[in-house]
Amino acid sequence: MFQTIRGTFDILPDTQEAGKQFVPGSAIWRHVEARVHEVMKRFGFEEIRTPILEPLGLIAHGVGQTTDIVQKEMFVVQRGDEEYVLRPEVTAPVMRSYLQHSLGQRGRAQRLYYLGPCFRAERPQKGRFRQFHQFGVELIGADGPMADAEAIACLRAVYDGFGITGTRLRINSLGDADLRPRYRDALKSYFEPFRDRLSETSRQRLETNPLRILDTKSEDERLLLANAPRIAEFLSDEARAHFDAVKQHLDLLGISCTEDPLLVRGLDYYTGVVFELESDDLGSQSALAAGGRYDGLAESVGGKQPVPAVGWAAGIERLFLAMRASDYDFPEPDRPDAYMVALGTEAQNWVFAKAQHLRAAGFHVEYDLMGRSMKAQMKEANRQRARFAVIVGENELASGTATVRDLDSSEQREVAFDEIVSSLRPPTEP
RNA sequence: GAGGCUGUAGCUCAGUUGGUUAGAGCGCCAGGUUGUGGUCCUGGAGGUCGUGGGUUCGAUCCCCACCAGUCUCCCCA
């Protein structure tokens, strides 16, 4: 028998949470997605949908050759001489689309958001899958600190809206593009004497991407880092002012954040302010969302001039875990207005026709397709938590009335066929 | 990519120191109620014991590999 491939999952009508991984049912996915769309609308972000498949080069140049994503986690699709990738993230594709369609010509700074699947060939863990789902915003065309703060405010609004508690917003600045070479040299000369105390990957990163050493979890390396040169010492006056202004704007909104001089990003396109929303309740997969400014991305994916931009991305699977940890009240399944119970062939035909009629009037109506007994039909009505059972047999056909049973109160009465619609409507408020 | 733990019915799990027909609870189906659900009672269906190989007279049980899940590492949202 075939199964979902490693690190992927089916979203079923019912929530799967027993034992293995927690996968909410499809109605809960729609509910969560709807609330994301709703927050985005309030912030004036417009949805953009880009292909799942992108040119390999876009990702390699956009995300960065030295990143783990590009080096070992991409799903590559070959077709003839072409190589495509299942997108591992959406920022580079959105920038590609912005440039391809000259969205800057729409005038204002573009507030774009997306929601959809991404793919990384990592080893699956709780809250981490090979096909996972992200949503995020990209605010493109504005270089001022207000844009950074606006993006963060939107992030906060999404998570506050879901009632997620126990989160921390960490923030840092990686400075201008010209900071990297200078800071890299300083880090290299600082670590040079301790070379033999570094892990193999950290030694490699010293050459390829020294900033990432700040990310290390090795205790010994963290001790070394305590005295390492700080990015802050290398910030230009301009970058420092931008960073301070972002923090001031967040303060205006009452959004608290923790400055973390060791916070860096795994992807190459980040410059300037970076931030991360972290949960206390999620163990090793603690990052709920992360983002920052990426003024250099446009050029690295082939744009002719720099385009200032800031954005973030959030994982939906982790959002679900955080919601569960915060005891979020997930919506109950939709209740049918009526379950129609038929006794006999003639009644079945009547129910079949009447059900379509009631549905056309806007009701959620169910009935049995398997020709089952009355008891089975009633059981099914109960299982689906229908509000009313509309029972029709020979007696009813003869009298032109249906038995309408309120399944909550167990009261039932006879209702003329053409009054069934009004009997299903909730009593109108006086 | 590395390491640990796990894999028995749709779900949660027992079990067999290697021996004939592998169990429970929940769920599902039917009957008790020839036209009435949610409670109750009775019965039933449902399993290549993750897959493949090995050891053995005999493997769900022991060994190996693979697959999947889970946790930690790496890394990341």
Side-chain angles (χ1 to χ4, degrees):
Chain A
M1 204 171 57
F2 294 111
Q3 295 186 1
T4 48
I5 60 180
R6 167 183 259 238
T8 68
F9 54 87
D10 294 319
I11 298 169
L12 303 176
D14 289 328
T15 296
Q16 309 166 64
E17 73 182 307
K20 334 174 198 175
Q21 76 251 46
F22 170 62
V23 180
S26 51
I28 291 176
W29 279 76
R30 278 202 312 279
H31 166 81
V32 167
E33 288 162 3
R35 301 206 56 174
V36 170
H37 289 299
E38 193 263 323
V39 174
M40 294 304 171
K41 180 181 163 188
R42 282 191 278 139
F43 276 79
F45 283 93
E46 298 177 285
E47 188 182 11
I48 182 168
R49 302 190 190 194
T50 61
I52 304 294
L53 230 40
E54 291 280 0
L56 184 139
L58 169 71
I59 304 301
H61 289 116
V63 173
Q65 296 284 358
T66 62
T67 60
D68 278 26
I69 291 180
V70 168
Q71 290 193 337
K72 55 186 192 194
E73 295 171 1
M74 289 199 297
F75 281 102
V76 178
V77 178
Q78 288 213 349
R79 184 175 166 82
D81 295 335
E82 303 289 322
E83 282 189 318
Y84 309 117
V85 213
L86 295 175
R87 65 181 188 193
E89 56 95 55
V90 192
T91 298
V94 168
M95 183 55 81
R96 189 223 80 235
S97 183
Y98 176 94
L99 296 170
Q100 178 178 338
H101 303 288
S102 301
L103 294 184
Q105 295 300 308
R106 297 178 79 207
R108 59 187 182 274
Q110 294 302 299
R111 298 161 177 270
L112 302 171
Y113 81 96
Y114 58 84
L115 189 159
C118 295
F119 302 82
R120 285 181 204 170
E122 299 174 292
R123 183 142 182 176
Q125 283 177 42
K126 195 185 202 74
R128 168 189 286 187
F129 300 89
R130 288 187 160 186
Q131 175 176 344
F132 56 103
H133 299 77
Q134 284 198 330
F135 62 95
V137 308
E138 314 294 354
L139 186 35
I140 307 178
D143 59 6
M146 203 183 287
D148 304 54
E150 169 88 339
I152 292 172
C154 178
L155 174 61
R156 206 51 280 178
V158 171
Y159 282 81
D160 287 349
F162 284 116
I164 309 287
T165 53
T167 61
R168 262 190 322 280
L169 182 69
R170 293 189 297 141
I171 190 168
N172 193 22
S173 175
L174 303 182
D176 306 320
D178 72 316
L179 175 147
R180 285 214 185 195
R182 289 187 295 122
Y183 183 59
R184 182 172 60 199
D185 292 345
L187 267 187
K188 277 174 87 165
S189 43
Y190 171 77
F191 276 115
E192 208 55 54
F194 307 113
R195 185 166 261 279
D196 51 332
R197 280 173 67 182
L198 293 178
S199 66
E200 195 182 326
T201 48
S202 287
R203 276 203 298 273
Q204 216 166 359
R205 279 180 191 156
L206 206 49
E207 305 303 326
T208 56
N209 197 350
L211 280 189
R212 300 264 316 282
I213 295 182
L214 302 188
D215 243 354
T216 185
K217 283 177 185 153
S218 146
E219 293 229 353
D220 190 43
E221 292 181 5
R222 282 193 165 279
L223 285 176
L224 286 178
L225 277 171
N227 295 317
R230 291 297 163 96
I231 296 178
E233 300 158 16
F234 291 78
L235 289 182
S236 65
D237 292 345
E238 211 181 337
R240 163 57 62 189
H242 184 105
F243 187 26
D244 289 340
V246 171
K247 286 184 287 184
Q248 280 163 19
H249 278 99
L250 290 177
D251 201 45
L252 276 177
L253 301 178
I255 295 175
S256 60
C257 60
T258 315
E259 199 169 333
D260 180 352
L262 296 182
L263 178 66
V264 292
R265 298 259 52 101
L267 311 187
D268 283 358
Y269 50 64
Y270 287 107
T271 58
V273 170
V274 294
F275 51 88
E276 187 163 315
L277 187 69
E278 210 179 31
S279 167
D280 298 326
D281 310 324
L282 260 48
S284 64
Q285 313 296 316
S286 63
L288 290 171
R293 185 159 275 285
Y294 49 95
D295 293 347
L297 176 60
E299 284 178 301
S300 53
V301 298
K304 292 189 179 109
Q305 53 200 6
V307 177
V310 58
W312 50 261
I316 294 187
E317 287 80 1
R318 291 202 192 164
L319 170 58
F320 282 134
L321 291 180
M323 288 170 78
R324 192 169 59 159
S326 304
D327 289 322
Y328 183 85
D329 211 2
F330 289 106
E332 293 296 313
D334 185 46
R335 296 184 69 177
D337 295 302
Y339 192 97
M340 306 193 71
V341 176
L343 296 138
T345 311
E346 208 181 330
Q348 277 176 8
N349 289 334
W350 185 89
V351 159
F352 173 72
K354 189 66 178 176
Q356 318 305 323
H357 176 227
L358 292 174
R359 287 163 174 169
F363 292 103
H364 174 177
V365 177
E366 307 261 356
Y367 62 92
D368 173 65
L369 284 172
M370 301 192 295
R372 294 200 289 183
S373 69
M374 178 176 193
K375 177 173 176 147
Q377 293 181 64
M378 290 298 292
K379 247 185 118 158
E380 185 60 28
N382 186 62
R383 183 167 24 224
Q384 295 194 30
R385 300 186 62 242
R387 292 171 201 283
F388 294 99
V390 177
I391 302 164
V392 176
E394 283 173 28
N395 302 343
E396 286 82 358
L397 289 174
S399 64
T401 62
T403 302
V404 176
R405 181 181 178 88
D406 183 320
L407 291 175
D408 292 330
S409 67
S410 299
E411 288 166 7
Q412 66 183 41
R413 62 201 177 92
E414 298 301 306
V415 175
F417 283 165
D418 49 12
E419 283 167 20
I420 293 176
V421 167
S422 54
S423 78
L424 297 183
R425 293 210 195 283
T428 43
E429 301 288 326

